[in-house]
Amino acid sequence: MSNLEKYISKSVQSVPPSGIRKFFDIVSEMKDALSLGVGEPDFVTPWNIREMGIYSIEEGHTHYTSNFGLLELRKEISRYLKERFDLNYPNYREQILVTVGASEAIDIALRSIVNPGDEVLIPEPCFVSYKPCVIFAGGIPVEIETRPENDFKLRAEDILHKISSRTKAIILSYPNNPTGAIMTREDLKEIAEILKDRDIIVISDEIYAELTYEGSHVSIANFPEMKEKTIVINGFSKAFAMTGWRLGFVAADEVFIKAMAKVHQYVIMSAPTFSQYAAIEALKNGLSEVEKMREEYNRRRRYMVSRFNKMGLECFEPKGAFYVFPSIKATGLLSEEFAERLLYEQKVAVVPGTAFGRSGEGFIRCSYAYSIETIKQALDRIEKFVLNLKTQGVFQQTHENNVAVEK
């Protein structure tokens, strides 16, 4: 241990490295390895969007924008939210903030509202950044376990059991990473009923809103009684295949946006200028490409769920995002052990469920943001790994029961 480590803040020391990166660092140096781990679209950003980004540079748009983002972009975001999700933020000058990805938006949202000792409720399994961001803001993350028997949905009674006098906020993340779960209007109505009269802020991470495969995406901000105290976070990375452009946004009441902009202007200044021009084009003329990508993801989703169930790894059917979260409990292996053995024995990288919280134990996350050919090859190797476990006498009974039901 280096003597320099004593200078590192206790909050940073308390947070372990991302449970996702470990496996990808190995994969990057492993010949012929396949990965189903990265949560990044395999599609290239549509050409018209790329072209606008290039053109903006050629036109000399290489300076800072307003801290809040280009006014035209904020206007387009306001229009987009209204037309796509019936979210009304007409005062786009003061109700919308453009950020460096949704990740920055999550960070500054928490830093803007959390005081030392405040509790933030986090349904798990969840995106890996939530708990660290709460800790870095001086808050205390409080986990709420969601379960496969409830389709990994958050239930009102689960929230009630975790609320205390120190509860400051709750993070909602639907469609969900890593489970692919969604919340319907009826589901969210129950949540709204218990939160509407409580001084609890909602941070609603809706980065996968466009990747909803059954019904339409619904935000808790759609409920009038919840809109004022809900911070809606979204962005361009997932839906428009713009991960490398690093562009997200926040829509919220002027009070929240003003506070978040204060943090944003001191630590970031403004989001990349050429990315903002590209985003304007995405919102104006890119939704047809989003639909094509969603259709392809849907095809891969159905295929992957079917394959996992057939090989005996029970798989909840995700209704959003681009992940499946199959159970590996029948193998008798822990999530980390399963992922490590699969990587070294069959050269396939998946993410152990524990990377997304303690309630992820017994599961793995697999992304279908890969070509169907890569998915097929990876699943063939996973099936071979599972069959090898079967020959060792592991979960044979469970596998045979699955096959019997399917017949």
Side-chain angles (χ1 to χ4, degrees):
M1 180 176 178
S2 170
N3 287 331
L4 296 176
E5 291 191 13
K6 65 184 179 183
Y7 298 110
I8 305 302
S9 76
K10 292 181 179 179
S11 63
V12 172
Q13 288 189 44
S14 70
V15 174
S18 168
I20 297 178
R21 299 312 314 172
K22 169 183 175 181
F23 292 91
F24 305 135
D25 291 341
I26 298 172
V27 167
S28 65
E29 300 178 1
M30 182 180 287
K31 187 179 180 181
D32 299 326
L34 297 173
S35 176
L36 295 179
V38 178
E40 178 176 33
D42 61 310
F43 299 101
V44 176
T45 305
W47 171 245
N48 64 310
I49 300 173
R50 285 181 280 151
E51 188 175 41
M52 182 55 70
I54 294 167
Y55 181 69
S56 73
I57 295 172
E58 293 176 337
E59 285 289 291
H61 298 302
T62 58
H63 301 283
Y64 295 131
T65 69
S66 158
N67 294 143
F68 287 83
L70 288 169
L71 189 61
E72 183 181 0
L73 175 56
R74 285 180 277 154
K75 182 178 181 180
E76 285 300 319
I77 290 171
S78 174
R79 179 189 61 80
Y80 166 77
L81 290 174
K82 179 61 178 175
E83 292 181 359
R84 297 293 289 180
F85 308 118
D86 196 28
L87 291 170
N88 193 27
Y89 295 93
N91 185 11
Y92 52 85
R93 292 174 181 270
E94 297 178 334
Q95 292 181 315
I96 291 172
L97 173 67
V98 180
T99 60
V100 181
S103 294
E104 188 219 341
I106 294 164
D107 180 36
I108 64 175
L110 287 164
R111 284 204 268 173
S112 297
I113 65 173
V114 172
N115 294 309
D118 283 347
E119 294 180 349
V120 178
L121 307 182
I122 305 176
E124 287 191 348
C126 69
F127 178 49
V128 296
S129 292
Y130 296 150
K131 290 173 68 175
C133 283
V134 170
I135 292 170
F136 295 154
I140 301 170
V142 176
E143 302 94 341
I144 304 177
E145 182 180 0
T146 61
R147 302 173 181 83
E149 57 266 30
N150 299 320
D151 293 339
F152 289 107
K153 293 180 178 183
L154 178 63
R155 301 183 305 172
E157 56 262 42
D158 296 329
I159 298 175
L160 285 171
H161 292 152
K162 295 289 185 174
I163 290 175
S164 76
S165 60
R166 294 192 296 176
T167 303
K168 183 65 170 288
I170 182 171
I171 298 177
L172 297 183
S173 178
Y174 295 94
N176 180 265
N177 172 14
T179 66
I182 65 170
M183 295 281 279
T184 65
R185 182 174 294 276
E186 292 71 27
D187 298 325
L188 288 173
K189 184 177 181 180
E190 294 181 7
I191 305 297
E193 280 297 314
I194 67 166
L195 294 179
K196 66 180 183 180
D197 296 323
R198 288 181 163 88
D199 290 330
I200 297 175
I201 299 164
V202 177
I203 298 175
S204 186
D205 182 355
E206 303 178 21
I207 190 67
Y208 293 100
E210 287 285 0
L211 302 181
T212 301
Y213 306 108
E214 290 190 12
S216 300
H217 172 73
V218 181
S219 171
I220 196 165
N222 286 125
F223 295 86
E225 65 271 27
M226 292 302 301
K227 185 187 173 188
E228 185 179 67
K229 57 182 182 178
T230 297
I231 298 171
V232 175
I233 292 172
N234 207 322
F236 298 86
S237 295
K238 311 302 183 180
F240 295 93
M242 293 177 66
T243 51
W245 299 76
R246 304 312 305 131
L247 207 68
F249 61 84
V250 186
D253 184 89
E254 292 91 332
V255 172
F256 291 128
I257 292 297
K258 183 179 180 180
M260 293 175 68
K262 189 184 296 184
V263 181
H264 173 75
Q265 66 187 192
Y266 281 119
V267 301
I268 295 295
M269 181 68 75
S270 60
T273 301
F274 73 97
S275 298
Q276 294 188 54
Y277 279 100
I280 292 170
E281 174 65 17
L283 294 177
K284 285 183 174 180
N285 301 303
L287 288 173
S288 61
E289 292 299 315
V290 172
E291 179 62 31
K292 292 177 185 177
M293 288 186 276
R294 181 170 53 243
E295 289 176 0
E296 176 58 21
Y297 287 138
N298 195 19
R299 181 169 77 99
R300 300 172 188 177
R301 175 185 73 100
R302 294 194 300 266
Y303 175 77
M304 189 174 272
V305 169
S306 175
R307 284 291 303 271
F308 273 118
N309 281 320
K310 285 181 180 178
M311 70 177 73
L313 299 183
E314 185 176 349
C315 189
F316 154 79
E317 182 184 357
K319 304 294 177 63
F322 42 54
Y323 310 103
V324 297
F325 204 59
S327 171
I328 51 92
K329 293 178 181 178
T331 69
L333 303 179
L334 297 176
S335 296
E336 186 101 4
E337 182 184 6
F338 184 100
E340 286 188 355
R341 286 188 57 178
L342 177 63
L343 180 57
Y344 286 108
E345 294 177 27
Q346 294 297 330
K347 295 186 176 181
V348 176
V350 298
V351 184
T354 46
F356 308 99
R358 288 177 295 181
S359 61
E361 182 59 81
F363 298 86
I364 56 172
R365 189 195 77 173
C366 300
S367 170
Y368 47 90
Y370 294 89
S371 70
I372 194 68
E373 292 76 18
T374 297
I375 291 172
K376 287 179 178 178
Q377 291 179 24
L379 289 173
D380 286 344
R381 295 186 189 184
I382 295 174
E383 185 170 22
K384 183 177 180 181
F385 176 71
V386 168
L387 289 174
N388 287 340
L389 291 176
K390 182 183 176 183
T391 61
Q392 298 166 19
V394 180
F395 85 110
Q396 182 173 357
Q397 182 75 35
T398 302
H399 178 69
E400 289 178 348
N401 286 345
N402 263 293
V403 173
V405 169
E406 289 169 4
K407 288 180 180 178

